[in-house]
Amino acid sequence: MSNNFLSSLNESQKDAAQHIDGSLLILAGAGSGKTKTITTRLAYLISIGIDPASILTLTFTNKAATEMRDRAYSLIDPSMLNTPPLLCTFHKFGLLLLKFYMKELNRNNNFIIIDTDDKKRILKSIDKELSLPLLASEISKYKNSILSPTEAKAAAQLKMYQQIADVYEKYENYLEKNNLVDFDDLLLLPYKILSKNKKLAEEISQKYQYIMVDEYQDTNELQYKLLRKLCCTHNNLCVVGDDDQSIYGWRGATIKNILNFTEHFDNTKVVKLQENYRSTNTILDHANQLIEHNRDRLGKTLVGTREKGNSIKVYESSDENEETRKIVEDIKSLIASGEKASNIAILFRVNALSRSLEEGFNKAGLAYRLVGGMKFYERAEIKDLIAYFRILTNNNDNFSLKRIINKPKRGIGKTTIEKLDAKSIELQKPIFQIIEEFEPEELAQVVGKKNSRTLKVFMASVMDLKDTLEESKMRFLDLFEDTFDYRSSYDNAPDGFDRQSNIDEFYGYIRDYFIQNPFLGLEDFLNEIALESENSEFTDEMVSMMSIHASKGLEYKHLFIIGLEEGFFPIIGDGSDIEEERRLGYVAITRAMDNLTMSFVHSRFYKGKRALLGKSRFLSESGLIKGSLTIEKNSMYKKGDLVKHKIFGMGRVQKAMKAGKDYKLTINFSGQRRDILSSFIEKI
């Protein structure tokens, strides 16, 4: 069979595609033809006579697997595909393995896979006090770090983590008893099987003689160890990825897998794909300047294949409203000149920044879509706050009351709400009026003594807030959060930072509204946002708005990146990793094809109040403005972080202090406290 399909590759791509035996790291820069290279390599292996059934290609998404399969098959003579190669996600491969070998764990293969909702229901049945998102996230983290309940208990030092470890143990017992597996088990259980049965691991390794992995920079510790088992009889592992685009540390991915690949697998061949086919040379030059400030990287420089292109524009605005006006005017001009709206996108690091954009677009009549996210006023935490404020303006609103009567949690469960609802229908009175008018003993007959007290306190709090609202709208806003503590209910949530940023944005927007409209009240504000949040008429031609995480893998002719201020991008503190923030900046810039605008403001709502902000260091680091260039330690640590030491094992950080280029950490290892520099430990 002819290998004419190789002629469309550049020299580096061709070098990678024709590599056969031995480990191979394809370091693929943004826009460098990564998918084309790996699919061509798959076609090449089959074209030279390698049995397709011996080739395993692993991806992260079904979409990526389907795209690769279609592209690879289009290059191959159909007669050579009597037995097609296995091309699927990590989790699909794990499922296939479990179907054949679950008996190795003394379990039947008629197991049932539970979804996220099932998992939360089970966890709630075990523990009704701890935050469900926190429980689900921590247990997932334990599993992907290959931590058993016993090991999780040993590493738990704070009371909350001891509780979580206990729930983890009960959760695992429940799954085994009912022969259930969750999403994380699709990787963990195959690893346990292959660890337990060396002979079986060798058989499977011999079956899949050629293994390829896409987006290797996004793998976690469990996926790496599973790959080691699959390669126990050979070294024919080809991985493709980009250390400069590793942006999922917050969900368990470890950049060390790709950084240390040549140490993990002997005699690795490294091929760098550095020719970029997407962006102008100007855009690439600034992306290269930015990412060079990172220490933990293998090192490569994107080389453009296109023209130099226009200069990157940097917008400086007084606040987010001026920022939005400038961007709206630019986009209106682009569309008026004949540009398609689908070729335009706006990126932000923090989802809360979409609010001012959405407002500006609605007023200008511009169609937009939020990619991979909800519109600001559709987000659960914002809908909760709106429901609270509706109750304050209309006590008769049963719908809103039922939404927030147990947010934050105050022990009012579904059954209690149903009883109140039934009583409301029976008496033809709003629930709030029943709570207000019934004597405590009478209310206790409906909902129980404890709930009766809770509801009376809740009702009194609402009435106090109504009185304060009539006296002072600003004092009301301060008292509202002090009373219900809604924002802090997300302190330990996995997505708490984003949700609290949205809450801060909402509080700040209300304050601004009252300052701008001193004679209008809370009801006027609610009516205005109800009009703002009405969906635009659907059209295929819409400007895309999205977080930088959601933009990975996408490209746009005209790109705007907003919110380039210290604290918003990069996010500082709260366990953030400055090098991962910088990689996010690199990903953002390299989404742009022709034109790029970077925007920062001097003032924005920050933690609920308008604050003066400094421009992002990324503007100077990328060479767009003058400023001091600093290189910082890549990892930040905070109390409660789960870490691992080669000798002492798993532990929890109790204290973190800066010590030169490192951090001095006080870590609890199963009851023993030790002071260790951060360079000697690994964050889980």
Side-chain angles (χ1 to χ4, degrees):
M1 178 185 174
S2 170
N3 291 331
N4 288 337
F5 51 77
L6 292 171
S7 61
S8 65
L9 304 182
N10 64 37
E11 288 306 308
S12 296
Q13 292 171 335
K14 200 177 294 182
D15 188 20
Q18 294 181 99
H19 179 84
I20 303 171
D21 295 313
S23 54
L24 171 66
L25 169 58
I26 304 174
L27 203 58
S32 63
K34 163 183 76 79
T35 304
K36 182 179 183 180
T37 303
I38 195 171
T39 52
T40 303
R41 182 173 187 268
L42 174 59
Y44 178 76
L45 291 177
I46 295 171
S47 74
I48 62 173
I50 290 173
D51 182 1
S54 70
I55 303 172
L56 170 64
T57 304
L58 297 171
T59 67
F60 274 83
T61 65
N62 289 314
K63 181 182 176 184
T66 302
E67 181 187 358
M68 284 190 183
R69 186 180 297 110
D70 292 346
R71 289 173 67 166
Y73 285 12
S74 70
L75 302 173
I76 304 170
D77 184 339
S79 66
M80 304 188 76
L81 286 171
N82 293 329
T83 308
L86 182 54
L87 203 165
C88 61
T89 65
F90 269 96
H91 291 86
K92 177 65 179 295
F93 177 75
L95 172 60
L96 293 172
L97 198 146
L98 289 183
K99 284 293 182 184
F100 283 105
Y101 304 111
M102 191 63 144
K103 63 180 182 297
E104 294 290 325
L105 298 175
N106 298 316
R107 290 176 61 174
N108 295 325
N109 68 352
N110 63 342
F111 57 85
I112 294 171
I113 303 170
I114 60 171
D115 61 20
T116 303
D117 287 339
D118 294 327
K119 179 178 179 178
K120 287 183 177 177
R121 275 196 290 271
I122 294 167
L123 290 172
K124 189 174 182 179
S125 71
I126 296 170
D127 188 293
K128 293 180 173 60
E129 293 181 12
L130 288 166
S131 157
L132 273 180
L134 175 66
L135 269 177
S137 172
E138 283 295 309
I139 289 173
S140 180
K141 190 186 294 183
Y142 292 149
K143 290 193 175 190
N144 283 289
S145 300
I146 321 177
L147 272 182
S148 68
T150 302
E151 291 167 321
K153 281 185 177 182
Q157 187 249 329
L158 299 175
K159 184 182 177 182
M160 181 177 69
Y161 291 109
Q162 292 168 356
Q163 287 178 276
I164 292 172
D166 286 337
V167 174
Y168 178 28
E169 182 175 49
K170 291 172 184 174
Y171 172 71
E172 285 296 271
N173 291 338
Y174 183 93
L175 294 189
E176 287 188 34
K177 183 181 177 182
N178 294 278
N179 204 21
L180 306 173
V181 299
D182 63 20
F183 198 62
D184 298 312
D185 286 331
L186 295 177
L187 296 179
L188 179 60
L189 297 184
Y191 173 74
K192 285 183 175 180
I193 289 169
L194 298 182
S195 297
K196 180 182 176 184
N197 191 330
K198 184 181 178 183
K199 185 180 177 183
L200 177 61
E202 290 173 350
E203 286 176 10
I204 293 173
S205 178
Q206 286 164 359
K207 174 177 172 61
Y208 297 110
Q209 283 287 316
Y210 295 90
I211 300 175
M212 291 192 283
V213 180
D214 187 29
E215 303 285 11
Y216 190 67
Q217 78 281 348
D218 294 337
T219 54
N220 60 27
E221 182 180 5
L222 177 54
Q223 286 161 327
Y224 159 67
K225 289 191 172 179
L226 185 57
L227 284 169
R228 291 301 299 249
K229 295 295 179 186
L230 295 175
C231 294
C232 65
T233 65
H234 62 78
N235 208 32
N236 300 331
L237 174 64
C238 164
V239 302
V240 61
D242 184 1
D243 53 322
D244 291 333
Q245 295 187 74
S246 178
I247 58 174
Y248 294 111
W250 51 276
R251 70 180 188 197
T254 172
I255 192 174
K256 290 184 179 180
N257 285 352
I258 193 167
L259 293 179
N260 299 334
F261 186 80
T262 56
E263 297 173 20
H264 293 159
F265 298 92
D266 295 336
N267 303 314
T268 296
K269 176 175 178 141
V270 179
V271 177
K272 295 182 180 182
L273 305 185
Q274 300 179 105
E275 291 182 55
N276 176 283
Y277 297 91
R278 175 189 298 150
S279 309
T280 65
N281 276 318
T282 299
I283 290 168
L284 295 179
D285 176 53
H286 291 292
N288 285 329
Q289 287 186 58
L290 174 63
I291 203 63
E292 282 172 4
H293 285 76
N294 271 7
R295 290 177 172 184
D296 282 347
R297 62 189 298 258
L298 295 170
K300 66 182 179 315
T301 302
L302 291 178
V303 179
T305 58
R306 299 181 56 204
E307 72 285 351
K308 183 179 179 182
N310 298 325
S311 298
I312 295 176
K313 288 195 287 187
V314 177
Y315 278 168
E316 178 179 3
S317 305
S318 60
D319 60 20
E320 69 277 7
N321 296 317
E322 184 184 349
E323 176 182 64
T324 296
R325 283 196 297 272
K326 289 177 181 177
I327 291 171
V328 164
E329 287 305 311
D330 277 2
I331 291 174
K332 285 169 71 176
S333 297
L334 283 170
I335 293 172
S337 69
E339 186 58 85
K340 290 183 176 181
S342 57
N343 289 330
I344 306 168
I346 307 171
L347 306 185
F348 35 78
R349 172 67 180 94
V350 179
N351 284 315
L353 269 59
S354 76
R355 188 208 53 84
S356 57
L357 289 172
E358 291 180 57
E359 182 185 350
F361 270 60
N362 286 331
K363 286 179 179 175
L366 286 173
Y368 68 91
R369 65 188 183 115
L370 274 164
V371 179
M374 292 182 181
K375 292 187 175 182
F376 186 80
Y377 294 112
E378 292 173 2
R379 293 166 186 162
E381 60 275 15
I382 302 305
K383 290 176 82 170
D384 287 348
L385 290 174
I386 290 171
Y388 263 112
F389 291 165
R390 281 177 176 161
I391 291 298
L392 285 157
T393 58
N394 177 12
N395 294 159
N396 298 335
D397 186 348
N398 270 8
F399 178 79
S400 295
L401 182 63
K402 286 188 288 185
R403 180 181 179 93
I404 53 84
I405 201 165
N406 197 42
K407 293 181 181 177
K409 287 185 178 180
R410 48 178 70 94
I412 306 298
K414 184 180 177 184
T415 304
T416 302
I417 295 171
E418 288 172 351
K419 288 176 180 177
L420 288 168
D421 212 16
K423 184 60 71 173
S424 174
I425 294 168
E426 177 194 333
L427 300 179
Q428 292 294 296
K429 286 184 178 182
I431 292 174
F432 193 91
Q433 191 177 340
I434 291 170
I435 298 170
E436 185 178 21
E437 292 179 354
F438 275 34
E439 292 297 324
E441 295 78 12
E442 189 180 6
L443 186 58
Q445 290 176 5
V446 180
V447 297
K449 195 172 182 180
K450 183 181 177 184
N451 288 335
S452 173
R453 284 198 302 268
T454 301
L455 291 171
K456 283 290 186 180
V457 170
F458 171 76
M459 183 269 299
S461 297
V462 172
M463 299 308 289
D464 285 347
L465 281 166
K466 286 189 75 166
D467 291 341
T468 305
L469 179 61
E470 291 178 10
E471 297 168 11
S472 167
K473 287 175 284 192
M474 292 303 177
R475 196 158 67 247
F476 154 75
L477 291 173
D478 292 330
L479 185 60
F480 176 83
E481 182 58 33
D482 289 342
T483 300
F484 293 119
D485 221 17
Y486 182 75
R487 185 187 187 279
S488 65
S489 67
Y490 288 106
D491 279 351
N492 293 312
D495 56 354
F497 180 86
D498 254 347
R499 289 186 185 271
Q500 289 180 334
S501 296
N502 292 335
I503 292 166
D504 291 340
E505 176 74 13
F506 188 67
Y507 285 159
Y509 183 38
I510 300 172
R511 288 179 186 278
D512 224 36
Y513 179 86
F514 287 154
I515 291 168
Q516 302 297 327
N517 305 279
F519 300 110
L520 297 181
L522 186 58
E523 194 168 353
D524 300 296
F525 172 78
L526 292 171
N527 289 337
E528 180 143 333
I529 63 173
L531 293 174
E532 280 182 23
S533 58
E534 282 295 310
N535 289 332
S536 306
E537 186 178 344
F538 182 80
T539 168
D540 288 336
E541 279 304 317
M542 294 185 283
V543 174
S544 296
M545 298 178 189
M546 71 194 83
S547 70
I548 297 166
H549 281 101
S551 75
K552 192 164 178 288
L554 304 177
E555 58 185 28
Y556 294 92
K557 287 174 67 177
H558 308 279
L559 189 74
F560 299 83
I561 306 172
I562 70 165
L564 281 150
E565 303 98 31
E566 292 287 299
F568 280 95
F569 193 24
I571 292 172
I572 302 167
D574 294 320
S576 64
D577 181 335
I578 192 61
E579 292 215 351
E580 184 156 315
E581 292 292 307
R582 198 173 281 114
R583 291 193 291 271
L584 274 167
Y586 175 80
V587 166
I589 292 172
T590 54
R591 300 310 95 198
M593 299 168 69
D594 298 342
N595 295 297
L596 175 61
T597 300
M598 312 270 274
S599 175
F600 72 93
V601 301
H602 292 292
S603 162
R604 199 183 291 278
F605 293 128
Y606 189 62
K607 298 191 183 301
K609 296 180 180 178
R610 185 161 292 283
L612 295 177
L613 301 166
K615 62 179 78 73
S616 170
R617 70 191 75 184
F618 294 166
L619 292 167
S620 58
E621 290 180 354
S622 57
L624 289 167
I625 62 173
K626 288 184 178 181
S628 59
L629 304 185
T630 58
I631 300 176
E632 296 196 16
K633 179 67 183 171
N634 71 309
S635 295
M636 291 188 178
Y637 294 86
K638 66 181 186 303
K639 184 177 179 180
D641 280 344
L642 187 62
V643 296
K644 184 169 74 173
H645 187 273
K646 286 184 178 179
I647 297 173
F648 304 122
M650 310 301 303
R652 286 271 178 196
V653 174
Q654 290 182 301
K655 191 176 177 184
M657 291 179 62
K658 202 84 170 68
K661 295 178 181 178
D662 276 330
Y663 280 80
K664 181 184 176 184
L665 305 175
T666 300
I667 306 171
N668 183 290
F669 295 101
S670 303
Q672 290 188 327
R673 291 178 56 171
R674 296 184 183 275
D675 292 332
I676 297 176
L677 288 175
S678 57
S679 54
F680 291 94
I681 63 102
E682 180 182 349
K683 190 187 288 187
I684 300 300

